[in-house]
């Protein structure tokens, strides 16, 4: 795991100072070393977090054996040794996964991307072609941003702050991205908060040649569900998940696991035990009756792990926010980012690499709102014009159920999912705040408006890269920690995506396939568990005096930078110590942190 940066421009050696500023800005992503290499028209920089091939032969930027190509990579190529066997004719100098990509490029050029697994964002400068080839992994685990500078330089980096620090661009706020943030609490993975700084979307590649770029999608989610029974599904599920975990344990440093005590992380820890004599597990919890720590301890004891518990300490939230929020570079309002930062910080005291159970909910149908959507589409009024007409008349005289109300309000479960689930400000509220732009992310497929599997696919292309992977990457890298996600192994993820809905969720149960395939690995208490978060509430946080003071400083002062983008008077109506208030506070923090650039 590392940080990458580059400037493609004539006389690239003249940009040494700018490139150094860029790599210095992302030193937290790679504290072990810093290197740069220069061609006539390309400058490449790298910050290294040493995990595979700790020797000098693993350092980047890395030249091919001809020195006609040079790569900078952020990420890990799982199963790279098997790939290496298919490219044995390349004269390798070291044992890193990075060099395998160079071997693939020498033979297949840009077509290498179709057989490259793992989490990655990379750039290869081909000096003979005078071309830059870049790509980002399928699920957006690793970030990649780019922009054109004032003198038409092409600039790229792992984080926006590196591009801003170069001094080569004056950013302009993206009104569509601002609207998406206010609605969903994060910026879409197809945009950045700035209209002139772009993100390379997940599953896309970019080619720069003669000053022009071409961005194309190289991968689409499988859209056809498979036909198989529970017995067949369990067998294949176990085989593919074990294989995914085994591949992600490859490292020249110790690999540990996050352990929440939930079904997903407990499954990962259980399977790691098949391959390692002992593992380190780490849990974060709040000290109250519903804390997850007791469940995590059960699994730790069952598998004899070296277990670390991180207990929530009553801290000054305002100080934490001011410390942590700059790592995002964009407004971000997921309330779990503070505990996520803390567990990563504590993990880094002993570990460099940690496995995570992220994305299980999207693959197995684990969220409660999937169950609600299943009930909605089975309600007698769903897409029934006559029933809806009658119910609209009826509700004028009698209260109706939540399901009836939402079926009247939304056209279908896809409409409900996109405009109710995880939504903060609706269109009218955003307009009142002065943000009239709207943005709807495109997907690699045309969703069936009544398909739960397609809604899960939308979350895999929207929420997972835009929120979950951003939180995971930024909070881990802020602490120089690599987090790996076995559930997003391409073979395993594709299998889960294509599972029939009835093997994921029904009226009584969620995560049916996981419960059936992995239940014997858990304790009885965990088998009975329902999904639980970190156990905090925004309302309780706003009881803290220092947080209210920070909010007042940022949101009740019309001179604050945030009010260049939203209306001050309307904002005051939303300061009700709830999620909308939290959303606005994070927006104000972003504007405050970046005011020197805005």
């Amino acid at each position: 795991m590392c940080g990458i940066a580059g400037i493609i421009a004539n006389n690239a050696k003249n940009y040494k100072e700018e490139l150094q500023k860029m790599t210095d800005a992302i030193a937290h992503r790679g504290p072990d070393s810093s290197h740069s290499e220069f061609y006539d028209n390309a400058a490449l920089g790298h910050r290294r977090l040493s995990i595979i091939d700790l020797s000098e032969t693993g350092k980047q930027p890395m030249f091919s054996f001809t020195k006609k190509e040079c790569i900078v990579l952020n990420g890990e190529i799982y199963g790279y040794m098997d790939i290496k066997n298919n490219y044995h004719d390349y004269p390798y100098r070291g044992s890193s996964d990075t060099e395998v990509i160079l071997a693939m490029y020498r033979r297949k050029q840009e077509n290498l991307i179709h057989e490259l697994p793992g989490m990655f964002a990379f750039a290869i400068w081909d000096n003979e072609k005078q071309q830059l080839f870049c790509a980002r992994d399928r699920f957006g685990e690793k970030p990649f941003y780019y922009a054109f500078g004032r003198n038409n330089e092409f600039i790229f980096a792992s984080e926006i702050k590196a591009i801003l620090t170069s001094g080569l661009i004056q950013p302009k706020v993206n009104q569509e991205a601002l609207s998406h943030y206010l609605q969903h609490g994060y910026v879409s993975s197809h945009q950045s908060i700035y209209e002139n700084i772009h993100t390379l979307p997940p599953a896309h590649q970019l080619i720069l040649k003669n000053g022009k770029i071409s961005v194309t999608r190289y991968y689409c989610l499988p859209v056809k569900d498979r036909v198989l029974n529970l017995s067949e599904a369990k067998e294949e599920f176990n085989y593919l998940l074990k294989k995914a975990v085994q591949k992600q344990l490859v490292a020249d440093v110790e690999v540990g696991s996050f352990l929440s005590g939930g079904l997903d992380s407990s499954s990962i820890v259980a399977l790691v035990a098949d391959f390692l004599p002992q593992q380190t597990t780490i849990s974060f919890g709040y000290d109250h009756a519903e804390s997850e720590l007791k469940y995590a301890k059960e699994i730790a004891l069952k598998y004899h792990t070296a277990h670390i518990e991180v207990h929530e300490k009553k801290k000054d939230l305002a100080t934490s926010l001011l410390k942590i929020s700059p790592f995002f570079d964009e407004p971000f309002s997921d309330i779990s980012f503070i505990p996520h930062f803390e567990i990563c910080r504590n993990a880094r005291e002993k570990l460099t690499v940690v496995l995570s159970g992220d994305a299980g909910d999207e693959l197995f149908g684990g969220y409660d709102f999937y169950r609600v959507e299943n009930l909605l589409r089975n309600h007698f009024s769903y897409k029934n014009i006559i029933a809806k007409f009658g119910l609209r008349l009826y509700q004028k005289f009698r209260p109706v159920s939540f399901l009836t109300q939402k079926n009247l309000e939304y056209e279908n479960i896809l409409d409900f999912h996109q405009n109710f689930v995880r939504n903060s400000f609706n269109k009218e509220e955003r307009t009142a705040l002065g943000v009239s732009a709207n943005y709807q992310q495109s997907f690699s497929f045309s969703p069936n408006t009544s398909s739960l599997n397609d809604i899960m696919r939308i979350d895999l292309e929207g929420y997972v890269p835009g929120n979950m992977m951003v939180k995971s990457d930024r909070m881990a890298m802020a602490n120089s920690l690599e987090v790996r996600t076995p559930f997003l192994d391409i073979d395993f993820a594709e299998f889960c995506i294509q599972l029939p809905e009835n093997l994921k969720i029904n009226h009584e149960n969620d995560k049916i396939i996981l419960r059936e395939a992995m239940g014997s690995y858990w304790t009885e208490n965990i088998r009975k568990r329902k999904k639980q978060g970190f156990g905090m509430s925004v309302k309780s946080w706003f009881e803290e005096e220092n947080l209210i003071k920070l909010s007042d400083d940022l949101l009740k002062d019309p001179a604050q930078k945030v009010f260049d983008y939203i209306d001050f008077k309307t904002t005051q109506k939303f300061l009700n110590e709830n999620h909308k208030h939290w959303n606005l506070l994070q927006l104000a923090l972003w504007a405050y942190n970046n005011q020197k650039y805005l």
Side-chain angles (χ1 to χ4, degrees):
M1 192 71 67
C2 307
I4 64 175
I7 301 171
I8 310 303
N10 295 332
N11 302 311
K13 289 180 181 177
N14 293 339
Y15 291 88
K16 285 183 180 179
E17 185 178 342
E18 288 83 356
L19 186 64
Q20 187 66 52
K21 287 179 181 177
M22 292 175 72
T23 53
D24 287 349
I26 52 174
H28 51 279
R29 298 188 71 91
D32 294 336
S33 62
S34 175
H35 298 284
S36 57
E37 298 291 352
F38 296 85
Y39 288 94
D40 288 343
N41 299 319
L44 302 178
H46 188 263
R47 293 291 318 204
R48 188 180 186 192
L49 181 62
S50 302
I51 290 170
I52 291 176
D53 190 354
L54 310 184
S55 71
E56 280 294 294
T57 58
K59 80 171 188 178
Q60 299 181 49
M62 183 181 290
F63 290 110
S64 66
F65 75 96
T66 65
K67 292 205 170 183
K68 292 178 181 178
E69 300 90 12
C70 190
I71 185 173
V72 283
L73 164 72
N74 169 31
E76 301 291 347
I77 309 304
Y78 305 128
Y80 74 95
M81 292 302 292
D82 291 335
I83 300 173
K84 190 173 184 176
N85 291 335
N86 297 326
Y87 295 85
H88 53 80
D89 55 334
Y90 185 88
Y92 296 97
R93 290 169 294 174
S95 58
S96 76
D97 52 349
T98 308
E99 195 171 16
V100 174
I101 302 177
L102 284 172
M104 295 171 75
Y105 182 80
R106 289 286 301 173
R107 186 189 299 177
K108 292 199 167 183
Q109 300 291 287
E110 297 86 41
N111 287 325
L112 73 88
I113 197 63
H114 301 293
E115 63 176 85
L116 192 68
M119 57 174 182
F120 54 80
F122 67 81
I124 298 175
W125 174 252
D126 187 323
N127 202 47
E128 201 162 59
K129 288 185 177 180
Q130 290 292 293
Q131 172 184 292
L132 187 73
F133 170 53
C134 313
R136 189 174 174 204
D137 65 66
R138 292 160 182 81
F139 297 107
E141 294 181 73
K142 293 295 103 193
F144 189 100
Y145 295 94
Y146 66 94
F148 281 97
R150 61 176 60 94
N151 297 312
N152 210 38
E153 306 97 337
F154 181 82
I155 315 157
F156 70 87
S158 295
E159 297 183 16
I160 291 173
K161 63 172 59 68
I163 292 176
L164 294 175
T165 304
S166 73
L168 297 172
I169 186 170
Q170 178 63 46
K172 300 174 184 175
V173 172
N174 182 344
Q175 289 295 308
E176 287 186 352
L178 181 58
S179 177
H180 188 279
Y181 167 76
L182 288 169
Q183 182 178 0
H184 298 288
Y186 61 92
V187 176
S188 165
S189 63
H190 285 235
Q191 294 188 314
S192 95
I193 194 62
Y194 303 109
E195 65 180 48
N196 55 341
I197 298 177
H198 311 280
T199 184
L200 182 60
H204 282 67
Q205 63 183 25
L206 179 154
I207 293 175
L208 171 74
K209 191 172 179 66
N210 298 324
K212 296 180 180 178
I213 63 167
S214 168
V215 177
T216 54
R217 177 180 283 278
Y218 68 82
Y219 172 79
C220 297
L221 294 182
V223 295
K224 189 174 182 180
D225 297 347
R226 289 176 57 181
V227 177
L228 71 173
N229 61 39
L230 180 57
S231 177
E232 295 167 332
K234 282 171 60 177
E235 184 178 354
E236 194 166 348
F237 182 99
N238 274 320
Y239 170 76
L240 290 172
L241 185 53
K242 283 183 180 180
K243 193 173 178 183
V245 169
Q246 183 180 26
K247 284 187 288 188
Q248 297 201 15
L249 288 173
V250 175
D252 294 328
V253 295
E254 182 184 354
V255 179
S257 299
F258 287 144
L259 177 57
S260 70
L263 308 185
D264 298 336
S265 65
S266 296
S267 299
I268 299 297
V269 169
L271 291 180
V272 170
D274 285 349
F275 301 105
L276 296 181
Q278 184 170 36
Q279 61 178 305
T280 298
T281 53
I282 183 164
S283 302
F284 179 94
Y286 286 76
D287 292 323
H288 54 70
E290 300 303 316
S291 172
E292 288 195 301
L293 288 172
K294 59 189 176 185
Y295 299 106
K297 186 175 286 187
E298 283 190 15
I299 290 293
L301 289 171
K302 180 177 174 67
Y303 292 102
H304 309 289
T305 73
H307 190 55
I308 301 167
E309 284 188 352
V310 181
H311 291 260
E312 180 265 351
K313 296 180 178 63
K314 203 68 174 176
K315 288 186 176 179
D316 179 351
L317 271 173
T319 300
S320 293
L321 282 174
L322 289 167
K323 173 186 175 182
I324 300 169
S325 61
F327 287 105
F328 285 108
D329 293 343
E330 299 179 286
F332 187 82
S333 72
D334 188 320
I335 63 170
S336 65
F337 75 76
I338 294 177
H340 202 80
F341 178 91
E342 288 301 319
I343 194 173
C344 289
R345 183 178 65 81
N346 282 270
R348 188 60 176 95
E349 292 177 5
K350 181 172 175 57
L351 300 163
T352 310
V353 182
V354 176
L355 301 188
S356 163
D358 280 346
D361 291 306
E362 291 78 9
L363 290 169
F364 319 136
Y367 290 120
D368 190 55
F369 50 73
Y370 292 149
R371 185 186 62 82
V372 171
E373 288 158 357
N374 189 34
L375 292 171
L376 277 171
R377 67 177 179 174
N378 285 293
H379 192 267
F380 75 90
S381 67
Y382 186 69
K383 288 189 172 182
N384 187 322
I385 297 173
I386 296 173
K388 284 188 174 184
F389 177 77
L391 286 167
R392 285 194 176 93
L393 292 176
Y394 179 82
Q395 72 174 349
K396 292 179 180 179
F397 307 101
R398 294 282 189 276
V400 296
S401 69
F402 175 84
L403 293 178
T404 297
Q405 181 186 340
K406 295 309 170 189
N407 262 326
L408 292 174
E409 192 173 344
Y410 297 97
E411 291 183 14
N412 47 61
I413 60 170
L414 178 60
D415 182 24
F416 170 82
H417 189 78
Q418 292 185 306
N419 294 298
F420 180 81
V421 173
R422 296 196 189 102
N423 270 237
S424 187
F425 293 92
N426 63 33
K427 185 176 181 180
E428 292 73 24
E429 290 168 334
R430 298 196 304 273
T431 300
L433 284 166
V435 182
S436 58
N438 283 293
Y439 177 72
Q440 191 76 290
Q441 180 181 315
S442 60
F443 301 102
S444 68
F445 63 101
S446 298
N448 177 331
T449 58
S450 297
S451 166
L452 272 180
N453 258 349
D454 279 2
I455 283 175
M456 293 176 208
R457 288 182 176 99
I458 281 173
D459 281 349
L460 281 166
E461 289 195 348
Y463 178 78
V464 167
N467 184 299
M468 186 180 290
M469 293 297 107
V470 169
K471 178 180 65 178
S472 177
D473 176 83
R474 305 305 189 276
M475 296 299 89
M477 291 275 68
N479 293 286
S480 306
L481 180 75
E482 172 168 298
V483 174
R484 300 178 177 181
T485 312
F487 290 146
L488 290 179
D489 170 84
I490 185 61
D491 295 328
F492 178 74
E494 283 193 340
F495 166 76
C496 293
I497 290 165
Q498 296 175 88
L499 278 175
E501 290 176 4
N502 68 295
L503 296 183
K504 298 179 183 180
I505 192 168
N506 58 29
H507 293 329
E508 291 80 35
N509 251 325
D510 61 5
K511 296 187 175 180
I512 293 168
I513 182 62
L514 184 69
R515 292 177 187 276
E516 291 288 337
M518 296 298 299
S520 62
Y521 286 86
W522 308 329
T523 64
E524 184 61 25
N525 283 332
I526 289 171
R527 275 191 285 273
K528 295 176 182 176
R529 287 201 66 195
K530 296 295 183 183
K531 184 169 178 59
Q532 181 178 329
F534 273 117
M536 68 203 117
S537 73
V538 167
K539 186 172 179 57
S540 67
W541 281 7
F542 276 114
E543 292 172 0
E544 294 201 12
E545 186 178 332
N546 284 338
L547 186 63
I548 289 294
K549 184 180 184 306
L550 177 64
S551 174
D552 289 349
D553 289 345
L554 293 176
L555 291 170
K556 291 190 175 180
D557 175 5
Q560 284 290 334
K561 194 68 182 176
V562 68
F563 296 115
D564 287 358
Y565 309 106
I566 59 174
D567 182 72
F568 174 77
K569 287 184 178 179
T570 304
T571 295
Q572 307 312 301
K573 299 175 184 177
F574 292 112
L575 304 185
N576 300 316
E577 300 178 11
N578 56 16
H579 280 275
K580 288 179 180 177
H581 189 168
W582 179 260
N583 180 303
L584 292 169
L585 177 57
Q586 304 315 307
L587 181 65
L589 268 170
W590 162 77
Y592 173 80
N593 292 331
N594 293 278
Q595 56 189 317
K596 66 180 177 182
Y597 299 115
L598 298 175

